């Protein structure tokens, strides 16, 4: 399956060095996931495997990275032999692994659902992977992001509406840093739609924790740098838990 991300693996890898990803996003994601030592974790929409490698470094017993982009998977697999981490990267989650994970991480997966039914299916994919009581941490586009084209420029990106804002409307993400200048199309989903899709998939205890900046990031860049992003981040952080009797939502496929 072709994907708009097939040729962007090196850019996504290099983007992790940007302050907002290194000192804010990943710091907040790992805090939201909590302790993963000895756990089984699925990295849904794993991309180049950056979070998969971080999760393994945090002591996860098993890490599986899943993505539909063959370009991203090829890059992730190429990193594996050198580290001997034992991470498995797959295009489709094997049925034998469904219901076996303690946690699922889905970074920028939900923004690529083009219809509400697909949004529910993606949430259902995470739910099916989890054991009852397992947790799902995901990052959609912030329903209240600042749509001014220049607002996030200092962080190496621009995010703005490609059309009037409504559920499933197109959002343009421009990434511009170092030698890179790329444009990606994502989808906007309201808070109500996101919470509704998660609930339909069987998730409970839905929370929206704020982003946090690492101590090092605050020392290096200061409050004035982080202030605009923290006031109106381009993404949201959502946490939830699989209920004891989550419904089976079939036909899910990652974006």
């Amino acid at each position: 399956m072709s994907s708009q991300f097939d040729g962007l693996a090196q850019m996504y890898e290099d983007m992790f060095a940007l302050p907002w990803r290194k000192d804010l996003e990943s710091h907040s994601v790992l805090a939201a996931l909590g302790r993963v030592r000895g756990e089984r974790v699925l990295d849904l929409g794993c991309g180049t495997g950056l979070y998969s490698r971080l999760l393994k470094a945090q002591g996860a017993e098993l890490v599986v990275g899943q993505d539909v982009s063959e370009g991203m998977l090829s890059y992730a697999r190429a990193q594996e032999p050198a580290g001997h981490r034992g991470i498995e990267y797959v295009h489709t989650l094997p049925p034998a692994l469904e219901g076996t994970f303690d946690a699922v991480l889905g970074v920028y997966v939900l923004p690529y659902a083009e219809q509400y039914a697909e949004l529910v299916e993606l949430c259902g994919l995470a739910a099916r992977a989890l054991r009852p009581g397992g947790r799902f941490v995901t990052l959609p586009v912030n329903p209240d992001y600042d749509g001014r084209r220049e607002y996030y420029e200092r962080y190496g990106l621009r995010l703005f509406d490609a059309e009037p804002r409504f559920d499933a409307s197109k959002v343009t993400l421009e990434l511009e840093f170092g030698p890179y200048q790329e444009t990606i199309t994502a989808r906007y989903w309201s808070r109500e739609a996101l919470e509704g899709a998660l609930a339909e998939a069987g998730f409970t205890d839905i929370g929206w924790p704020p982003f946090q900046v690492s101590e090092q990031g605050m020392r290096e860049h200061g409050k004035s740098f982080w202030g605009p992003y923290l006031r109106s981040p381009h993404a949201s952080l959502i946490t939830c838990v699989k209920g004891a009797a989550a419904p089976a939502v079939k036909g899910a496929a990652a974006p």
Side-chain angles (χ1 to χ4, degrees):
M1 176 183 288
S2 63
S3 163
Q4 65 176 321
F5 300 102
D6 282 342
L8 301 181
Q10 190 61 58
M11 184 196 71
Y12 265 71
E13 191 80 3
D14 293 345
M15 186 168 60
F16 216 73
L18 293 176
W20 68 270
R21 292 216 76 183
K22 177 171 62 75
D23 296 314
L24 183 148
E25 180 196 288
S26 61
H27 178 70
S28 301
V29 164
L30 293 177
L33 271 174
R35 181 182 174 88
V36 296
R37 182 169 296 279
E39 292 193 332
R40 300 167 64 88
V41 187
L42 172 64
D43 184 6
L44 182 63
C46 64
T48 63
L50 271 163
Y51 274 106
S52 297
R53 300 194 294 273
L54 279 176
L55 293 167
K56 195 65 177 178
Q58 293 284 315
E61 175 188 340
L62 173 72
V63 177
V64 176
Q66 185 271 336
D67 207 292
V68 300
S69 168
E70 292 296 344
M72 290 290 189
L73 286 175
S74 294
Y75 188 101
R77 288 167 179 152
Q79 313 311 305
E80 185 58 21
H84 300 288
R85 302 176 185 87
I87 302 169
E88 182 180 2
Y89 293 102
V90 299
H91 184 272
T92 304
L93 185 67
L97 292 179
E98 292 186 1
T100 68
F101 290 94
D102 301 293
V104 173
L105 174 63
V107 177
Y108 307 129
V109 173
L110 301 187
Y112 300 101
E114 298 182 0
Q115 300 176 7
Y116 181 74
E118 187 178 352
L119 184 66
V120 175
E121 288 173 358
L122 285 170
C123 296
L125 177 57
R128 291 202 308 278
L130 287 166
R131 60 168 177 78
R135 58 202 188 278
F136 181 36
V137 175
T138 189
L139 278 75
V141 171
N142 176 13
D144 299 315
Y145 78 89
D146 192 299
R148 289 174 289 180
R149 188 186 181 100
E150 74 283 357
Y151 190 82
Y152 303 104
E153 281 186 341
R154 70 174 67 187
Y155 309 107
L157 62 95
R158 303 184 190 94
L159 186 70
F160 52 93
D161 299 315
E163 55 188 339
R165 196 178 297 188
F166 56 88
D167 280 326
S169 62
K170 292 181 180 179
V171 176
T172 298
L173 172 64
E174 294 180 346
L175 297 167
E176 187 171 339
F177 63 96
Y180 303 109
Q181 189 170 2
E182 298 288 347
T183 300
I184 295 169
T185 299
R187 299 285 175 154
Y188 170 87
W189 292 102
S190 66
R191 186 184 185 102
E192 293 75 17
L194 290 163
E195 291 188 350
L198 287 166
E200 284 192 46
F203 286 106
T204 63
D205 301 327
I206 299 170
W208 297 70
F211 284 102
Q212 309 170 26
V213 179
S214 69
E215 291 183 5
Q216 179 178 337
M218 192 61 75
R219 284 196 304 270
E220 289 184 0
H221 301 284
K223 291 183 178 180
S224 62
F225 175 81
W226 295 111
Y229 190 91
L230 292 173
R231 282 194 296 273
S232 183
H234 89 289
S236 287
L237 188 60
I238 303 178
T239 61
C240 51
V241 176
K242 178 180 177 178
V249 181
K250 297 297 183 181

